[in-house]
Amino acid sequence: MGFTSRRFLSLKPSRALPLLPFLFTLLLVGSQGDGNAMDNVATERLAEESHRQDSANLLIFIMLLTLTILTIWLFKHRRFRFLHETGLAMIYGLLVGVILRFGVHVPQSMSNATLSCAVNASPATLLVNVSGRFYEYTLKGEVRGKGHQVQDDEMLRKVTFDPEVFFNILLPPIIFHAGYSLKRRHFFRNIGSILAYAFMGTVVSCFVIGLIMYGFVSFMKVVGQLGGDFFFTDCLFFGAIVSATDPVTVLAIFNELKVDVDLYALLFGESVLNDAVAIVLSSSIVAYQPAGDNSHSFEAMALLKSFGIFLGVFSGSFALGVATGVMTAFVTKFTKLRDFPLLETALFFLMSWSTFLLAEACGFTGVVAVLFCGITQAHYTFNNLSPESQDRTKQLFELLNFLAENFIFSYMGLTLFSFQSHVFNPLFIIGAFLAVFLGRAANIYPLSFLLNLGRKNKIGSNFQHVMMFAGLRGAMTFALSIRDTATYARQMMFSTTLLIVFFTVWICGGGTTPMLSFMSIPVGVDSDQDSSSTAVLDGSQRRNTKHESAWPFRIWYNFDRNYLKPLLTHSGPPLTATLPGCCGPLARCLTSPQAYENEGQLHDDDSDFILNDANVSSMYADVTVTTDASGSRTINRKRSSTASTGGGPSDEGLDHELSLAEHEVAIRGTRLVLPMDDPVEPPTTVTLPPPPSPPHSDPRRHRL
């Protein structure tokens, strides 16, 4: 019997002791390396899974927009007008929300989730110490439910966007497009009424809705139907956000049917400025902070301070938007960017978008700033752009407006089921619908009565009923309500606001065409040939062509045409002809060579405010061909851009221009003005012979 001997490595204790620290360190580092590697692999897997989930969520919205566009084409092809594209987007969003809420469950294990933690508060950021390593956790919101519902809620939170996405990404192109595409001739012709509806009407509507809702909330407290605090300032805030009208559905139908241009201008102008007023008004209500412990008591000084905040924020936002537009006009005028249309379009886009972000960063309101930036860009900068950039900017912002608006309405439908903190109270919902109806009525009818006292072109009762019916709520109301849903009151406001938007878009928007027929509103009206002259005062009174040419507007027109247009664009009379002689060097420095070439010409529809009322005139720079009703023609070559003193046109000439009829066709520096109607005889068609060839003595002055 034997055995095989084996030799083992052996160390004497005296020699092994110095190696123990080294072996221990090696073992510790190896174990930590394995743990870090495992943590990194798990983290990478989670990141990859999160990336896939985010891509799937965005794909849902892309498919929603694609399906909406295809359905819009079908509706337009079949001439269906009972449902607008925004209503379709909301329906598809609702269907997807139902599927995600009730039809999809996420198979995920809860073994690695800690369901309890002894923390008495809910901090926004939580640092957790795990074996000496700190991990940061961010608060996502309250989880309602246990087990598999937690995973389902997590998926629904994935398709719920940060409210700042709406304000910083989706709202700017919508608001800018509203200002950039504004038809300034009809807008400024009704500017007094539009400002009254937008400012006074919104404030009246806010307080009417706030008072009615405060009555309902007080009643809900008495009967025990209120589950949290709801103060009078909350009621006013709700009144402010639901006073923001967005009749996109009605305006789209108006544009398709070619409804009376003044009715379109009143509704469009009110909705554009009304959004700006509503957001500043809501910010002022939030800023109401009386002294003392009770922050919801009435105090005159706090009220005056909120009013001052309203004026300061609105005026500051207005100035910032106009300043950005003026800066862009200067850059495009005094550089050669027009030789590179792609760079020109990119700069225009970035400067316009940055206006919103700059205003928000400065503590102002980006909606107001980007709105007036769009109006300024359309009035000045547009004239400096190359023809390619003019087409590109119009199409670009029209596309962005279409996609952003439909995305928001799709998201509204989805949010009805994906939002985790809905509070639906039947009494509050009934009161909200009643308050919105009465608030709109208090806006339209009393103000229309007061405005008709000073208007020669009266706002008829049929127009008032349509404006009352067309008070839809949309993107701005939704964005303002979803921005803050932290308290019980704000959650109930948001849930009720969604229902109001659904009702107005589907019912009021879908009933627009029958409403127009019932109210005998004329359709098929050409916006360039304002033939809608019998739509007001029950069709019994002819339209007066002078409209609202008040003295402030005359002063502004004179100043803009002779100083601002030549300063910021290449059109209008040169500054060397309008500024005093002592400013000659400065005028020559600020006048571009193109201004001398384009002297006396009017570009795009910059002559929106110049209206003629007695005859037909075609102006070729300094050559004016006038044709009266008898067909006789008179040629006048006297310069009308400046007076002999170097100032603007004479008051008599300006009065004549501002009281003109509204029919004009602008064709590359040639303006054709057609008479609207004759006070005695029916209008006749006048055919102009070809314009006479101008003399060749001074080609610059007589160039077509």
Side-chain angles (χ1 to χ4, degrees), residues 416-701:
L416 187 63
F417 294 96
S418 65
F419 186 67
Q420 300 297 298
S421 303
H422 277 304
V423 178
F424 293 103
N425 190 303
L427 283 177
F428 189 85
I429 294 172
I430 294 173
F433 274 91
L434 179 63
V436 167
F437 177 81
L438 295 179
R440 183 67 178 172
N443 176 357
I444 298 299
Y445 295 116
L447 283 180
S448 299
F449 173 77
L450 295 176
L451 290 170
N452 282 337
L453 297 178
R455 281 179 62 108
K456 295 182 179 179
N457 172 35
K458 308 298 183 183
I459 303 174
S461 58
N462 53 348
F463 277 24
Q464 296 177 35
H465 297 328
V466 172
M467 293 178 67
M468 168 71 190
F469 185 79
L472 279 65
R473 272 64 178 176
M476 180 59 68
T477 300
F478 173 76
L480 288 174
S481 62
I482 200 177
R483 198 172 192 180
D484 182 8
T485 57
T487 64
Y488 170 82
R490 296 299 177 87
Q491 292 169 2
M492 188 158 59
M493 290 182 201
F494 174 66
S495 303
T496 306
T497 298
L498 276 181
L499 298 182
I500 293 174
V501 173
F502 291 159
F503 179 84
T504 55
V505 170
W506 288 337
I507 305 302
C508 298
T512 300
T513 304
M515 185 70 176
L516 293 176
S517 302
F518 181 74
M519 289 297 164
S520 301
I521 302 294
V523 296
V525 178
D526 190 351
S527 61
D528 291 326
Q529 295 182 356
D530 265 346
S531 59
S532 56
S533 57
T534 59
V536 292
L537 282 183
D538 296 329
S540 61
Q541 190 176 26
R542 307 287 286 180
R543 191 184 300 274
N544 191 299
T545 60
K546 192 169 183 177
H547 291 279
E548 299 176 352
S549 303
W551 62 268
F553 177 69
R554 297 165 183 263
I555 295 175
W556 162 253
Y557 168 81
N558 193 7
F559 180 75
D560 177 68
R561 183 174 184 271
N562 292 295
Y563 300 105
L564 293 183
K565 270 295 179 59
L567 177 65
L568 301 176
T569 68
H570 301 299
S571 60
L575 288 173
T576 53
T578 58
L579 289 177
C582 60
C583 301
L586 179 63
R588 287 190 293 271
C589 179
L590 296 177
T591 302
S592 63
Q594 292 90 337
Y596 295 105
E597 299 176 2
N598 301 333
E599 183 178 353
Q601 296 184 12
L602 296 171
H603 295 278
D604 71 336
D605 46 7
D606 293 332
S607 55
D608 286 342
F609 315 134
I610 306 177
L611 309 172
N612 198 339
D613 98 325
N615 48 28
V616 181
S617 62
S618 300
M619 302 185 66
Y620 303 89
D622 298 339
V623 181
T624 302
V625 183
T626 303
T627 305
D628 56 20
S630 62
S632 61
R633 188 174 63 183
T634 304
I635 301 177
N636 182 15
R637 291 186 174 85
K638 182 179 178 180
R639 288 189 62 169
S640 60
S641 60
T642 58
S644 59
T645 60
S650 63
D651 291 340
E652 293 80 2
L654 183 58
D655 291 341
H656 176 67
E657 287 184 345
L658 288 171
S659 61
L660 309 182
E662 302 96 0
H663 314 310
E664 69 179 42
V665 181
I667 309 176
R668 294 283 182 182
T670 301
R671 185 165 62 89
L672 178 63
V673 182
L674 305 176
M676 184 180 69
D677 51 34
D678 189 80
V680 179
E681 300 177 357
T684 58
T685 302
V686 179
T687 303
L688 287 177
S693 300
H696 298 283
S697 59
D698 190 350
R700 189 184 67 185
R701 288 191 54 188

Side-chain angles (χ1 to χ4, degrees), residues 110-291:
M110 290 294 295
S111 59
N112 60 346
T114 301
L115 298 179
S116 63
C117 183
V119 179
N120 296 326
S122 56
T125 303
L126 187 66
L127 294 178
V128 179
N129 186 352
V130 180
S131 302
R133 302 178 64 183
F134 289 89
Y135 297 88
E136 180 182 355
Y137 292 84
T138 304
L139 178 67
K140 292 186 177 181
E142 180 183 2
V143 177
R144 298 184 177 183
K146 296 182 180 181
H148 72 278
Q149 294 183 9
V150 177
Q151 283 75 41
D152 295 341
D153 291 346
E154 174 65 20
M155 185 196 62
L156 293 176
R157 279 196 298 270
K158 283 280 190 178
V159 297
T160 303
F161 287 95
D162 186 345
E164 295 303 317
V165 172
F166 291 96
F167 271 82
N168 296 330
I169 304 299
L170 298 178
L171 273 185
I174 295 176
I175 303 299
F176 182 85
H177 179 262
Y180 195 55
S181 62
L182 186 69
K183 294 184 177 180
R184 299 188 299 280
R185 173 157 57 106
H186 307 301
F187 178 85
F188 284 99
R189 193 173 65 186
N190 298 279
I191 186 64
S193 301
I194 290 173
L195 291 177
Y197 287 126
F199 283 86
M200 295 180 59
T202 303
V203 173
V204 169
S205 175
C206 170
F207 278 91
V208 169
I209 294 175
L211 290 172
I212 294 175
M213 292 312 301
Y214 187 68
F216 270 86
V217 168
S218 301
F219 177 74
M220 290 165 60
K221 287 181 180 179
V222 173
V223 299
Q225 293 294 320
L226 198 63
D229 294 332
F230 211 110
F231 301 100
F232 180 63
T233 52
D234 295 323
C235 296
L236 287 180
F237 180 81
F238 179 73
I241 63 175
V242 297
S243 294
T245 60
D246 184 19
V248 57
T249 303
V250 177
L251 293 176
I253 295 175
F254 280 12
N255 190 44
E256 184 177 355
L257 296 178
K258 297 187 181 298
V259 178
D260 184 275
V261 291
D262 281 337
L263 177 60
Y264 184 93
L266 287 173
L267 268 177
F268 181 78
E270 181 209 0
S271 66
V272 167
L273 296 179
N274 162 278
D275 288 347
V277 174
I279 190 172
V280 180
L281 187 60
S282 62
S283 301
S284 303
I285 294 172
V286 172
Y288 175 79
Q289 289 294 335

Side-chain angles (χ1 to χ4, degrees), residues 176 320-321 323-329 331-332 344-358 370 373 377 381 397:
F176 182 85
L320 189 61
T324 308
V326 168
M327 185 186 306
T328 312
V331 172
T332 53
E344 189 179 36
T345 305
L347 177 68
F348 183 92
F349 174 81
L350 294 176
M351 291 290 289
S352 302
W353 200 305
S354 63
T355 304
F356 185 93
L357 302 177
L358 179 62
V370 78
C373 176
Q377 301 275 46
T381 311
F397 282 102

Side-chain angles (χ1 to χ4, degrees), residues 377-395:
Q377 301 275 46
H379 192 55
Y380 297 114
T381 311
F382 184 83
N383 298 296
N384 299 333
L385 301 179
S386 61
E388 295 87 350
S389 296
Q390 290 179 350
D391 294 336
R392 283 179 179 176
T393 54
K394 283 186 175 181
Q395 295 171 0

